Amino acid sequence: MKEIDSFESIDSSDDDHEETENSDQQNSKLVKPYKKDCCDIFLGRTLQVVTVFLLLLSNYFVYQLFLRRWFKEDRKFYQMVRGIELDNTGTCLFILYQTFFFLAVISYFKAAFSDPGFMQKLEPPIGLLEDNLIGFCQKCEDKKWKPLRAHHCKICQKCVFRMDHHCTWINNCVGLKNQKYFILFLVHCEIYCILIIIYLTFSAVLVYQNTPKLFMLFIGMTWKYLVAILFIVLSALFIFLINEFLSDQYDCIKTNQTTVESYKEKYGRPHSFFNQLQIVFGQDQFYWLIPTKPKYNSNYLELLYKGEELAEMLQSNSDFIEDHFNHQQSEYYNAFRKYKVS
């Protein structure tokens, strides 16, 4: 299942590589730039506010209805030492869910406000790639060089290298430079939702066990408990949605595609799954689960292949053009280095 729902959309991607094959057609076409209207701005900002609000509100209710209720430390001295009014068990549970809360929030803000890989104005790689592989974006105002794996986002009105999709949920594109943050937000948010369900369900069981009669349970139920039930349901819904998104991200990483490219049935040069993870998350595995900026092992000269082309090349053991650029003894190596993603 591809990411097409109320939060995710690839309809914002305008790929004009096919247009660049015929320069006469390019000159004759007048491309009207897409203007971001008030609905785009309002929806994106609203989802940002709602997401952060739900995270903060769930954090508050988990503390009040579970930790503070069942693991409260009555001794003032220990409260002062720990800085929170929880006993040893409550403090450990508090640290556990707060860790994933902060990781999810930091990853979300980094995915939402960092550069997804907007293309800078670079000299076209004349002499490194064949002329038919060099195209220029007809939708950007400055008509700059557009790598094969870059796609123009009509909402951001910029070309994004290895653009996966424009995500309304984070109000930003997902590209090479923020894909790690986007995936980490999904991972940490899912773990956080799982902890919410466990904590609040366990609290509900304890409330039931400590209520002498079943009908008294409903009479004594306040709005806090109704909200807790709502958060259990919302957390389960979010886990379902996040699993769909993570499944799509996994497929794209495994096949060296973006969501946009998968609809065009095109692939990047095949690598091992571990190497693919290094491209997205960085070369240091220690930082893969932490929202730090990775060192990219990628370049703007990456090519796209159709499935049949890849099958033929792999069967005949043909060399990929990218291998010549990375070979330090190659005459192309020094000229290629300025096209490395940084």
Side-chain angles (χ1 to χ4, degrees), residues 96-137:
L96 176 63
Y97 97 98
Q98 286 289 5
T99 298
F100 288 103
F101 168 76
F102 281 110
L103 285 173
V105 170
I106 293 170
S107 299
Y108 180 79
F109 278 106
K110 284 206 166 190
F113 297 106
S114 62
D115 175 8
F118 293 129
M119 286 300 304
Q120 306 299 320
K121 191 167 185 179
L122 291 172
E123 291 295 323
I126 299 173
L128 293 176
L129 294 179
E130 297 178 5
D131 292 343
N132 64 329
L133 298 177
I134 299 176
F136 299 86
C137 183

Side-chain angles (χ1 to χ4, degrees), residues 92 236 288 308 327 340:
C92 292
W288 277 8
E308 314 84 68
H327 191 268
K340 292 281 286 183

Side-chain angles (χ1 to χ4, degrees), residues 17-30:
H17 278 300
E18 288 79 5
E19 296 174 14
T20 60
E21 294 179 359
N22 192 324
S23 59
D24 294 333
Q25 289 181 3
Q26 290 175 9
N27 296 331
S28 63
K29 284 188 177 181
L30 296 175

Side-chain angles (χ1 to χ4, degrees), residues 79-108:
Q79 287 185 23
M80 219 168 32
V81 171
R82 296 192 183 98
I84 52 177
E85 49 186 352
L86 300 175
D87 60 17
N88 293 335
T89 304
T91 301
C92 292
L93 294 173
F94 175 81
I95 292 173
L96 176 63
Y97 97 98
Q98 286 289 5
T99 298
F100 288 103
F101 168 76
F102 281 110
L103 285 173
V105 170
I106 293 170
S107 299
Y108 180 79

Side-chain angles (χ1 to χ4, degrees), residues 188-255:
H188 296 316
C189 192
E190 177 163 1
I191 296 174
Y192 180 63
C193 288
I194 292 172
L195 290 176
I196 289 175
I197 292 175
I198 293 173
Y199 285 8
L200 293 182
T201 302
F202 186 67
S203 182
V205 171
L206 291 176
V207 169
Y208 174 75
Q209 289 179 346
N210 286 272
T211 303
K213 294 182 180 179
L214 184 60
F215 74 92
M216 290 297 294
L217 179 66
F218 296 99
I219 293 175
M221 188 174 288
T222 64
W223 65 272
K224 288 185 178 180
Y225 297 106
L226 294 176
V227 172
I229 294 172
L230 175 63
F231 270 106
I232 291 175
V233 174
L234 284 176
S235 296
L237 176 62
F238 268 93
I239 289 172
F240 173 77
L241 293 174
I242 287 172
N243 279 333
E244 294 294 330
F245 299 155
L246 284 175
S247 175
D248 292 336
Q249 291 297 308
Y250 170 80
D251 290 338
C252 287
I253 291 175
K254 182 177 67 173
T255 56

